[in-house]
């Protein structure tokens, strides 16, 4: 049984010059930066409330994944299988699988169309299998990530069904943020939290602050794609990449003064990025005439 869950010898005969680039492509789509850029596009151009819910679910499940990795401390497969993808993080559960499953199927739940489930299944399967194909996870890691992803989706579905009938459910996001912050001080096995966990918490804080302000101060309106909205999205994505890559440098005076200062720099940069995507960018688009201001009911955002 151990061979089924942990051995990857069966992967080597599958590798070839055609499948390897395909696997590389799918595994790139499972990284958090891809999800955050995609969220930015959909938030600005599609249903901002639905995307807010998907974003919160993704951030929470990604944080849980990082916590459990350091709790289980399950080693990844041997570097012999990794095709140049060696990493210093643990294997169980697979973050790519867990986050892809939550992101694509939560979107499908919001879209409520058969094609969304088909597209989501293609991406979830492709991303999950790519982690096995590239040798960075074994079957146990992928199945573990899938189980946690399904559990997150089950909670998400329950929330969608009862959020309008139970007003207290609107506190789930702030409570989730509070729990994520507290967990940083109780990281498992006395391991300081990884930079990625601090980044996720910072982005979560920026996102919740942004959506709280956007509806009352900006309230941008979804509209059919036009040249103006394309310009807005392109400018916004450039700004997000500059922020994500440059804010850490902007807080250079905090870096290398100790781990606490390093974490503060990461948190400040990621919080600013989340706040920009959720609030500043839409307001700037409206002021620049690239998007319209709308009037929407004051129902719960997430």
């Amino acid at each position: 049984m151990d061979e089924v869950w942990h051995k990857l010898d069966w992967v080597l005969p599958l590798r070839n010059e055609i499948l390897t680039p395909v696997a590389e492509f799918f595994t790139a789509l499972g990284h958090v930066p891809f999800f955050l850029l995609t969220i930015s596009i959909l938030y600005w151009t599609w249903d901002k409330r639905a995307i807010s819910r998907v974003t919160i679910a993704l951030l929470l499940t990604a944080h849980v994944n990082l916590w459990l990795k350091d709790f289980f401390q399950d080693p990844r497969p041997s570097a012999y299988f990794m095709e140049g993808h060696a990493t210093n993080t643990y294997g169980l559960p697979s973050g790519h699988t867990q986050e892809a499953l939550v992101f694509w199927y939560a979107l499908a739940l919001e879209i409520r169309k058969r094609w969304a489930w088909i597209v989501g299944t293609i991406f979830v399967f492709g991303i999950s299998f790519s982690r096995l194909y590239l040798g960075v996870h074994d079957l146990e890691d992928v199945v573990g990530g899938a189980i946690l992803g399904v559990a997150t989706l089950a909670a998400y579905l329950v929330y969608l069904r009862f959020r309008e009938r139970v007003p207290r459910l609107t506190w789930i996001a702030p409570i989730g943020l509070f729990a994520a912050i507290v967990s940083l001080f109780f990281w498992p096995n006395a391991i300081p939290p990884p930079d990625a966990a601090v980044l996720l918490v910072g982005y979560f804080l920026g996102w919740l602050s942004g959506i709280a302000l956007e509806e009352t101060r900006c309230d941008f309106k979804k509209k059919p794609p036009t040249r103006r909205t394309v310009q807005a999205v392109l400018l916004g994505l450039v700004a997000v990449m500059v922020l994500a890559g440059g804010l850490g440098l902007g807080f250079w005076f905090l870096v290398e003064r100790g781990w606490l200062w390093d974490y503060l720099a990461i948190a400040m940069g990621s919080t600013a990025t989340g706040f920009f995507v959720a609030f500043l960018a839409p307001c700037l688009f409206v002021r620049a005439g690239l998007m319209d201001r709308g009037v929407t009911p004051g129902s719960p955002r997430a």
Side-chain angles (χ1 to χ4, degrees):
M1 191 66 179
D2 184 68
E3 291 187 0
V4 174
W5 291 109
H6 300 289
K7 300 297 183 181
L8 285 176
D9 301 84
W10 58 271
V11 168
L12 298 179
L14 298 179
R15 291 177 179 166
N16 58 62
E17 295 180 355
I18 297 176
L19 286 181
T20 297
V22 174
E24 297 274 4
F25 169 75
F26 275 108
T27 213
L29 299 184
H31 289 296
V32 170
F34 167 79
F35 291 131
L36 296 183
L37 288 176
T38 304
I39 281 168
S40 300
I41 297 171
L42 294 176
Y43 179 74
W44 297 331
T45 61
W46 185 54
D47 186 331
K48 58 186 178 182
R49 293 182 178 179
I51 293 304
S52 290
R53 293 190 289 267
V54 173
T55 300
I56 291 165
L58 177 66
L59 292 172
L60 285 173
T61 204
H63 187 82
V64 169
N65 180 272
L66 292 173
W67 197 93
L68 289 175
K69 280 183 187 294
D70 283 341
F71 178 79
F72 291 124
Q73 293 191 337
D74 181 64
R76 288 182 182 262
S78 167
Y80 172 73
F81 295 102
M82 286 193 178
E83 282 286 301
H85 287 268
T87 176
N88 58 359
T89 61
Y90 294 107
L92 179 69
S94 166
H96 276 65
T97 300
Q98 183 175 337
E99 291 150 24
L101 197 149
V102 170
F103 179 77
W104 291 107
Y105 286 152
L107 270 182
L109 285 171
E110 295 287 356
I111 295 171
R112 300 179 184 180
K113 300 289 185 181
R114 180 180 297 180
W115 65 262
W117 290 97
I118 295 173
V119 171
T121 299
I122 292 172
F123 280 111
V124 170
F125 177 80
I127 291 169
S128 300
F129 183 75
S130 74
R131 306 306 282 167
L132 296 169
Y133 180 93
L134 296 173
V136 291
H137 281 295
D138 54 32
L139 186 60
E140 180 185 59
D141 301 341
V142 170
V143 171
I147 291 172
L148 289 168
V150 169
T152 304
L153 282 173
Y156 191 85
L157 181 58
V158 170
Y159 173 77
L160 289 180
R161 289 188 175 182
F162 294 100
R163 65 190 175 90
E164 294 181 357
R165 284 182 276 176
V166 185
R168 289 190 299 272
L169 288 180
T170 59
W171 286 96
I172 288 178
I175 291 172
L177 173 61
F178 177 76
I181 293 173
V182 170
S183 74
L184 295 177
F185 298 93
F186 298 93
W187 209 254
N189 296 300
I191 298 174
D195 292 353
V198 179
L199 185 148
L200 287 171
V201 169
Y203 194 93
F204 197 176
L205 175 61
W207 183 271
L208 284 188
S209 302
I211 63 173
L213 287 173
E214 184 278 325
E215 191 168 87
T216 57
R217 300 293 182 86
C218 177
D219 191 23
F220 71 100
K221 183 173 65 174
K222 182 188 74 170
K223 59 185 303 181
T226 64
R227 186 176 66 179
R228 290 193 306 164
T229 55
V230 172
Q231 290 173 342
V233 168
L234 292 177
L235 289 172
L237 289 179
V238 170
V240 168
M241 288 186 283
V242 170
L243 281 170
L247 276 178
L249 296 177
F251 297 115
W252 61 269
F253 57 91
L254 297 176
V255 178
E256 296 183 357
R257 295 191 176 190
W259 66 268
L260 183 59
W261 294 104
D262 291 349
Y263 285 167
L264 182 59
I266 295 169
M268 292 172 70
S270 57
T271 299
T273 303
F275 188 75
F276 173 82
V277 173
F279 174 66
L280 288 180
C283 290
L284 290 173
F285 296 155
V286 170
R287 286 184 174 273
L290 298 175
M291 288 185 178
D292 295 332
R293 182 180 175 88
V295 178
T296 57
S299 57
R301 292 293 309 275

